[in-house]
Amino acid sequence: ATPEPTRNTINQWVAAQTGQRIKEVLPPGSVSGNTRFVVTNAVHFKAPWAQPFDAKLTQHAAFKVEGAAPVQVPTMYDERKVGWLKLPSGETLLELPFEGRQYALLVLMPAAGTSLADAVRALQGADLTEPLGSLKPQNCQLRIPKFKLTTSMASLKTPLEGMGVRQPFTDGADFSGLVGNKSDVKLDDVFHAASFEIDEAGGEASAATAAVAVSKSFAALVPECAIDRPFVFALLHKPTSATLFVGQVANPAQQ
């Protein structure tokens, strides 16, 4: 009976559940007088690194951008042991644990000369966590850019239909399990929004809360582990190997 106040109530709930990171997931007009129900979920993750980066060591460094000149982006540095693996196919895998080591940031950097789009296509249906058993901690000069990704709300109806999820959007849909024995509803649309940020302190946290440590001098013979070209990342729940967020970074200078 009151579509707009209902839409606003749902968006306010999502904003509260995501620490105000996502303020609107339902666009104007997405709720109407014909709407029977709206199913909404929200996930919010915030955690410090198991080993925070020293903000004083962060400096601008070159990041290769496909089809353009390298860009200078704020890059975190540290000399530490990290899970680092160069796969036979040329990809580089990095794992950075969060505090408590229940969660970790997984970074997959395609082989040199392989475009990010080709790498993502090759990953379709693949298990990002499969090579993790081969990861071995090694001491290196770690270099990884800070990045913040914010996506506006987007309709998933067309992508879902392209993946074969068609019946829920038609008169053949059966939602009797939600609305009772007589199901006279169908799915109108699916909307999605996401944001992801890492900095010296951890995932989503602000740099102001970063642990401050004395500056370190890098040993000359320690090998470099650099994430310096487009990559795919995932937030991994270690005990179950579930990937909670998956994204790609083509240019850390852009959001």
Side-chain angles (χ1 to χ4, degrees):
T2 56
E4 272 303 289
T6 298
R7 182 182 74 89
N8 291 334
T9 296
I10 295 171
N11 282 334
Q12 289 166 8
W13 179 85
V14 169
Q17 299 303 312
T18 60
Q20 303 299 317
R21 293 284 179 170
I22 298 173
K23 296 184 182 297
E24 189 171 67
V25 71
L26 290 176
S30 58
V31 179
S32 72
N34 293 325
T35 302
R36 289 284 299 276
F37 63 84
V38 178
V39 179
T40 312
N41 69 63
V43 179
H44 184 216
F45 174 85
K46 182 176 181 178
W49 298 116
Q51 184 178 350
F53 289 84
D54 185 349
K56 296 195 298 293
L57 297 180
T58 297
Q59 57 186 277
H60 279 74
F63 187 93
K64 302 177 183 69
V65 177
E66 294 175 10
V71 295
Q72 295 289 318
V73 298
T75 302
M76 302 181 295
Y77 284 79
D78 196 14
E79 182 180 318
R80 64 170 67 175
K81 282 191 174 182
V82 295
W84 181 269
L85 177 66
K86 189 75 172 284
L87 299 173
S89 49
E91 294 100 335
T92 299
L93 193 65
L94 165 69
E95 183 185 48
L96 282 178
F98 290 100
E99 188 176 69
R101 300 187 179 272
Q102 292 282 299
Y103 297 89
L105 178 72
L106 190 63
V107 174
L108 180 70
M109 188 169 64
T114 301
S115 71
L116 186 59
D118 287 342
V120 170
R121 277 193 292 270
L123 280 174
Q124 290 182 1
D127 183 0
L128 272 174
T129 66
E130 187 176 343
L132 290 181
S134 302
L135 276 176
K136 294 182 179 179
Q138 59 176 308
N139 199 41
C140 68
Q141 295 180 29
L142 176 61
R143 179 156 57 93
I144 182 171
K146 297 168 59 173
F147 67 88
K148 178 179 181 180
L149 303 180
T150 303
T151 62
S152 58
M153 67 185 114
S155 169
L156 296 186
K157 182 176 181 178
T158 298
L160 285 171
E161 289 179 329
M163 295 167 61
V165 184
R166 300 184 182 93
Q167 186 171 337
F169 297 98
T170 70
D171 290 337
D174 182 3
F175 287 99
S176 57
L178 283 173
V179 297
N181 293 330
K182 183 182 178 182
S183 176
D184 58 352
V185 299
K186 62 182 177 181
L187 205 58
D188 183 50
D189 213 329
V190 176
F191 296 96
H192 177 75
S195 68
F196 199 94
E197 178 180 2
I198 67 163
D199 61 13
E200 293 89 350
E204 203 262 6
S206 64
T209 62
V212 178
V214 296
S215 297
K216 299 176 182 177
S217 59
F218 295 134
L221 298 180
V222 176
E224 184 179 59
C225 299
I227 302 296
D228 58 0
R229 57 180 184 269
F231 58 89
V232 176
F233 70 89
L235 175 62
L236 179 68
H237 180 238
K238 297 280 289 182
T240 61
S241 295
T243 49
L244 305 182
F245 289 83
V246 179
Q248 59 184 23
V249 177
N251 183 351
Q254 301 175 345
Q255 293 187 20

